[in-house]
C-alpha cells in the first residue's frame, strides 16, 4: 500500500507522553502551539507504570547535601556534580507545582499534612514521595487531565516517529512519522523538537518496561548524528516478579525492601550480607549482580523476596497494587515469599544534553530517560528519574522562550514529497529478528559481561543490523519494523559503549576488567565517529 504525506506545523513538537514530555507540554503551551505525538495512547509510558516515586528533599530531617551525596555515590564517580546539585535543589519547587496541579502524594494519615516518605536502595534518608505504589499513574492522570484542557496542545496518539528531519544546515526541523491507523506519513514541522519518549528496555528479553520502550528517541538522535553518552550503563531492577512465560516483568518496587523485605534463597537462607553492608538496600547494581551471581552459582531461576514480617493490613495499605497483582498469580505476599528475578529497567545513558536540555543538534532537545544529563552517572539512584524529568522540563521551557519568537527553519521537503512510502501492515514479519536481538542483548550485554560475550554480540548485531537496514532502504514501514530498526541501533550502541569501557563501574560489569579505573570518563559515541574520552 502506498500513502500520502501530510504536514503539520507548530512552535513546539514534543515526542513522548511520560512525565517529562507532559510536564514540558503544559509549561510551553503558555507561549506557543504544541504538537504532542505519542506512539500508542497518551498513558502508554514508563511513567504510568512507575511504582516507587519521586526522590526529593521535603523534610526537616533530610538535607540537599545528603541527597546530592547519595546520588553521587550511586553514580560511582560519573555524575556531573553541578547537574546533580541543580536537580536536587530545584526539586522541591517542581514538586510544589505537581501538587498545585492536583497530584496527591501519600500522607502520614488522613489528618496529617506530612508526607509519608519511602526509603529505597542507596538513600540514607526516607525521601521518596509516593502515591501508594502507583505513583507514576497518579502523576500521569493529573498531567493528562490538565493537558486536555489546553487548547493549543494538539495530541496525536498512535503516531510513530520514524526519523528526525534535518535541513541542509543540520538544523532539526521536526520529524516524519507514521500514523499507525491510517498509514499516512505526516511531517511534523516545528521550531523546537523535543525527544522525550523514554528508554529501551525492550532491547532485552526480560524488562520491567512497557512495550513502547524501544529506544525510539535515542535511535533517531543517533542516526541524525547527535552525541550519545554512557549507553553501557543499563540498570537492571533486582526484583521483578518471576514469570516463566512473558518477557514483560511486573515490578516488585524497591520500596518493599525499604519497608523491611528480605532476599532469600530457595533454601530460606539470606545472602545479601555477603555482597554489601547495606544488604537489601545497597544501590541497585549491587543487589542485581548479587542475585544474578547466586542464580548462576545455584543454577536456579529465581530467588525469593519475603515481606511477611509486616502485617497484612500494612501491606495492603502500602502496596495495594503489588498485593493484588501477586494475589492474582496465587501468591499472598503477607504470608508467601515472592519469586523474583532482575530485569532491564532503566537507561542511565542516552542523548547527551547540556544543562539547558540542548542536544548537540541545533533546535533539538531531549528529556527524561531518553537523555543523558549527567545526573545518573554509572548507576541511577532509585526514584531520581521522575525528579530529573520535571527539573529538566522546566530548564527546557526557560531556554526555549527565545526560540519561539523566531521564524521556522528552512526545510527541504522535496525528497519527502516525491517519495512513495510503502506501508507494511503485517505485524509479525519480524518476529524472528525481535527474538534474536532481545536474546543476544540479554545473554551478551546483560548484568554480567565479558570480552567473549561482547565479541559475540558484535558479530550477531552486525548481521542483524545489515538485514534490517536493507529492508528499510526499500522505504517500507510498519510500526513493528520501525521499532525493530530502533532496537537494533540501541543494541549496537550498548555493545560499542560496553566495548569502549575497559573497567567495571556501576551498572556496567565486565568479568575481564573487574576493577574501577581511577580516571573515569563518559563514553560519548556518535554515528559519524566513535570516540571515547
Ligand atoms: C521501584 O519502585 O523500585 C522503581 C523505582 C525507580 O526505578 O526509580
Amino acid at each position: 500500500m502506498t500513502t500520502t504525506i501530510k504536514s503539520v506545523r507548530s512552535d513546539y513538537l514534543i515526542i513522548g507522553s511520560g512525565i517529562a514530555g507532559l510536564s514540558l507540554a503544559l509549561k510551553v503551551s503558555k507561549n506557543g502551539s504544541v504538537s504532542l505525538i505519542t506512539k500508542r495512547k497518551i498513558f502508554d509510558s514508563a511513567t504510568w507504570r512507575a511504582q516507587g516515586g519521586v526522590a526529593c528533599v521535603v523534610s526537616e530531617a533530610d538535607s540537599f547535601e545528603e541527597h546530592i551525596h547519595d546520588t553521587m555515590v550511586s553514580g560511582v564517580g560519573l555524575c556531573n556534580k553541578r547537574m546533580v546539585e541543580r536537580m536536587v535543589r530545584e526539586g522541591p519547587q517542581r514538586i510544589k507545582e505537581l501538587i498545585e496541579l492536583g497530584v496527591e502524594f501519600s500522607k502520614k494519615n488522613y489528618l496529617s499534612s506530612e508526607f509519608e516518605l519511602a526509603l529505597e536502595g542507596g538513600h540514607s534518608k526516607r525521601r521518596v514521595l509516593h502515591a501508594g505504589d502507583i505513583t507514576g499513574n497518579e502523576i500521569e492522570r493529573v498531567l493528562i487531565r490538565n493537558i486536555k484542557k489546553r487548547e493549543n496542545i494538539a495530541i496525536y496518539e498512535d503516531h510513530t516517529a520514524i526519523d528526525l528531519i534535518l535541513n541542509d544546515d543540520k538544523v532539526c526541523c521536526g520529524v516524519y512519522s507514521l500514523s499507525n491507523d491510517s498509514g499516512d506519513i505526516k511531517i511534523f514541522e516545528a521550531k523546537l523538537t523535543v525527544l522525550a519518549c523514554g528508554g529501551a528496555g525492550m532491547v532485552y528479553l526480560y524488562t520491567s518496561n512497557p512495550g513502547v520502550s524501544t529506544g525510539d528517541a535515542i535511535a533517531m538522535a543517533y542516526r541524525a548524528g547527535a552525541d550519545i553518552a554512557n549507553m553501557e550503563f543499563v540498570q537492571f531492577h533486582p526484583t521483578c516478579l518471576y514469570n516463566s512465560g512473558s518477557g514483560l516483568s511486573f515490578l516488585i518496587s524497591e520500596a518493599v525492601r525499604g519497608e523491611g523485605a528480605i532476599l532469600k534463597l530457595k533454601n530460606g537462607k539470606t545472602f545479601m550480607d555477603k555482597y554489601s553492608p547495606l544488604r537489601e538496600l545497597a544501590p541497585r547494581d549491587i543487589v542485581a549482580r548479587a542475585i544474578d551471581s547466586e542464580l548462576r552459582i545455584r543454577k536456579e531461576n529465581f530467588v525469593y523476596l519475603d515481606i511477611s514480617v509486616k502485617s497484612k493490613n500494612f501491606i495492603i495499605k502500602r502496596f495495594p497494587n503489588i498485593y493484588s497483582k501477586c494475589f492474582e498469580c496465587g501468591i499472598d505476599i503477607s504470608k508467601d515469599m515472592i519469586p523474583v528475578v532482575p530485569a532491564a529497567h532503566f537507561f542511565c545513558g542516552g542523548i547527551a544534553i547540556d544543562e539547558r536540555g540542548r542536544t548537540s543538534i541545533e533546535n533539538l532537545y531531549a528529556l527524561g530517560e531518553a537523555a543523558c544529563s549527567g545526573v545518573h552517572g554509572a548507576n541511577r539512584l532509585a526514584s531520581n528519574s521522575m525528579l530529573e524529568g520535571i527539573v529538566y522540563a522546566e530548564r527546557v521551557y526557560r531556554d526555549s522562550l527565545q526560540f519561539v519568537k523566531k521564524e521556522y527553519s528552512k526545510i527541504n521537503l522535496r525528497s519527502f514529497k516525491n517519495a512513495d512510502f510503502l506501508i507494511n501492515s503485517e505485524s509479525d514479519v519480524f518476529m524472528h529478528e525481535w527474538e534474536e536481538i532481545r536474546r543476544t542483548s540479554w545473554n551478551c550485554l546483560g548484568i554480567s559481561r565479558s570480552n567473549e560475550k561482547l565479541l559475540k554480540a558484535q558479530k550477531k548485531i552486525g548481521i542483524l543490523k545489515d538485514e534490517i537496514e536493507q529492508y528499510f532502504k526499500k522505504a517500507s514501514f510498519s510500526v513493528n519494523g520501525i521499532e525493530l530498526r530502533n532496537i537494533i541501533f540501541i543494541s549496537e550502541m550498548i555493545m560499542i559503549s560496553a566495548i569502549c569501557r575497559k573497567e567495571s563501574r556501576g551498572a556496567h560489569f565486565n568479568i575481564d576488567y573487574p576493577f574501577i579505573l581511577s580516571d573515569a570518563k563518559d563514553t560519548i559515541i556518535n554515528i559519524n565517529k566513535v570516540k571515547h574520552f
Side-chain angles (χ1 to χ4, degrees):
M1 167 173 104
T2 59
T3 188
T4 48
I5 300 175
K6 297 180 180 154
S7 203
V8 178
R9 242 188 183 196
S10 52
D11 293 319
Y12 295 90
L13 168 64
I14 299 174
I15 304 162
S17 58
I19 185 170
L22 295 182
S23 302
L24 179 68
L26 271 181
K27 287 175 190 260
V28 296
S29 64
K30 290 181 262 176
N31 301 305
S33 55
V34 182
S35 298
L36 179 90
I37 76 173
T38 184
K39 200 163 53 169
R40 307 271 196 275
K41 299 299 170 206
I42 193 164
F43 50 79
D44 278 316
S45 66
T47 303
W48 183 266
R49 289 160 65 111
Q51 297 178 356
V54 193
C56 190
V57 177
V58 292
S59 94
E60 293 287 309
D62 198 3
S63 69
F64 289 140
E65 288 69 28
E66 285 166 292
H67 189 182
I68 292 165
H69 177 261
D70 293 345
T71 302
M72 304 284 297
V73 169
S74 193
V76 205
L78 271 193
C79 296
N80 178 324
K81 185 151 192 227
R82 206 159 51 106
M83 301 286 214
V84 173
E85 281 173 350
R86 291 181 175 181
M87 175 183 77
V88 167
R89 289 179 195 280
E90 290 169 22
Q93 184 54 31
R94 304 286 82 82
I95 290 291
K96 190 162 168 265
E97 288 166 6
L98 281 184
I99 293 169
E100 280 164 5
L101 285 172
V103 173
E104 291 185 27
F105 292 112
S106 297
K107 299 273 178 59
K108 284 201 165 154
N109 59 53
Y110 291 117
L111 300 174
S112 170
S113 58
E114 250 185 282
F115 294 113
E116 179 190 77
L117 299 172
L119 183 65
E120 291 185 10
H123 289 274
S124 56
K125 287 278 160 62
R126 284 191 172 262
R127 68 166 69 94
V128 180
L129 290 148
H130 62 95
D133 59 353
I134 50 164
T135 313
N137 184 300
E138 166 67 6
I139 294 173
E140 285 274 299
R141 181 188 69 77
V142 169
L143 290 174
I144 292 169
R145 191 182 66 204
N146 282 279
I147 292 259
K148 289 197 168 161
K149 290 186 205 149
R150 294 285 167 90
E151 278 178 5
N152 52 350
I153 303 180
I155 302 166
Y156 295 86
E157 294 184 315
D158 297 306
H159 278 69
T160 305
I162 302 171
D163 262 319
L164 292 164
I165 302 170
L166 264 49
N167 70 11
D168 297 341
D169 300 321
K170 301 265 178 270
V171 175
C172 181
C173 308
V175 297
Y176 62 103
S177 83
L178 173 70
S179 160
N180 304 355
D181 299 330
S182 67
D184 287 340
I185 297 288
K186 278 200 191 77
I187 288 173
F188 285 93
E189 204 188 329
K191 294 177 185 167
L192 272 180
T193 301
V194 185
L195 295 171
C197 42
M202 288 298 288
V203 168
Y204 287 92
L205 200 53
Y206 303 106
T207 177
S208 63
N209 291 185
V212 289
S213 299
T214 50
D216 307 342
I218 306 173
M220 285 192 291
Y222 184 61
R223 287 194 290 271
D227 282 350
I228 308 291
N230 293 352
M231 289 296 283
E232 66 275 40
F233 299 116
V234 180
Q235 186 172 73
F236 288 78
H237 197 290
T239 55
C240 289
L241 184 62
Y242 172 70
N243 168 356
S244 53
S246 144
L248 290 184
S249 313
F250 179 77
L251 200 68
I252 307 295
S253 174
E254 195 150 313
V256 177
R257 275 175 283 133
E259 295 300 345
I262 303 288
L263 285 162
K264 293 183 176 169
L265 299 168
K266 275 192 182 160
N267 61 15
K269 291 215 165 94
T270 60
F271 59 91
M272 272 313 297
D273 49 352
K274 276 199 286 176
Y275 296 92
S276 165
L278 296 172
R279 300 170 53 109
E280 275 71 11
L281 290 178
R284 231 170 240 185
D285 58 319
I286 296 172
V287 185
R289 255 193 318 276
I291 297 175
D292 185 61
S293 144
E294 292 296 328
L295 295 181
R296 279 169 202 272
I297 295 167
R298 287 159 208 287
K299 301 202 180 352
E300 285 173 353
N301 292 332
F302 56 83
V303 295
Y304 284 114
L305 186 65
D306 186 1
I307 182 73
S308 62
V309 287
K310 290 285 183 186
S311 73
K312 187 164 182 163
N313 278 351
F314 172 85
I315 293 172
I316 292 177
K317 180 169 172 285
R318 176 66 183 85
F319 302 113
N321 180 39
I322 295 173
Y323 181 83
S324 64
K325 173 71 190 181
C326 290
F327 202 78
E328 273 170 33
C329 301
I331 307 160
D332 176 349
I333 68 172
S334 68
K335 43 182 205 277
D336 303 329
M337 296 199 288
I338 315 165
V340 290
V341 278
H345 183 61
F346 187 87
F347 277 67
C348 303
I351 308 159
I353 56 166
D354 67 12
E355 59 199 57
R356 300 162 295 189
R358 294 186 187 186
T359 70
S360 58
I361 293 179
E362 208 175 314
N363 290 1
L364 179 68
Y365 288 73
L367 267 183
E369 190 176 349
C372 181
S373 66
V375 299
H376 303 312
N379 181 44
R380 176 185 62 110
L381 181 67
S383 288
N384 262 356
S385 42
M386 290 208 273
L387 179 67
E388 184 202 23
I390 49 179
V391 165
Y392 276 83
E394 172 72 15
R395 290 185 153 262
V396 170
Y397 158 64
R398 285 198 203 155
D399 192 55
S400 70
L401 293 175
Q402 54 187 303
F403 290 102
V404 280
K405 298 186 193 91
K406 292 188 180 168
E407 292 300 308
Y408 287 87
S409 301
K410 283 226 168 354
I411 171 173
N412 174 1
L413 288 178
R414 256 170 319 162
S415 50
F416 298 103
K417 287 201 173 126
N418 292 340
D420 266 351
F421 287 87
L422 294 171
I423 308 301
N424 186 331
S425 57
E426 288 170 57
S427 61
D428 57 357
V429 282
F430 303 114
M431 278 343 275
H432 169 74
E433 284 84 355
W434 268 94
E435 165 79 18
E436 189 77 9
I437 296 168
R438 298 184 71 196
R439 197 168 283 286
T440 302
S441 303
W442 183 258
N443 291 335
C444 303
L445 306 172
I447 297 177
S448 175
R449 300 165 182 168
S450 67
N451 289 348
E452 193 189 333
K453 285 183 185 177
L454 292 175
L455 205 65
K456 203 160 154 193
Q458 193 174 22
K459 284 193 190 133
K460 282 204 171 179
I461 291 168
I463 295 168
L464 284 161
K465 189 168 170 232
D466 282 351
E467 262 176 37
I468 294 164
E469 280 291 80
Q470 282 309 320
Y471 192 85
F472 251 79
K473 290 220 173 84
K474 294 183 208 148
S476 177
F477 298 120
S478 68
V479 179
N480 194 17
I482 293 165
E483 291 179 335
L484 177 76
R485 181 182 182 224
N486 289 337
I487 68 161
I488 191 69
F489 270 92
I490 299 288
S491 203
E492 183 187 59
M493 282 182 249
I494 301 169
M495 180 264 295
I496 294 172
S497 306
I499 289 175
C500 287
R501 188 162 291 282
K502 308 285 187 218
E503 62 166 351
S504 289
R505 179 183 295 276
H508 169 76
F509 181 75
N510 182 338
I511 56 166
D512 293 309
Y513 304 109
F515 44 81
I516 291 189
L517 291 178
S518 54
D519 56 340
K521 293 193 174 108
D522 290 334
T523 311
I524 309 283
I525 58 169
N526 180 301
I527 200 155
N528 302 315
K529 49 188 181 317
V530 175
K531 25 178 197 169
H532 182 222
F533 298 102

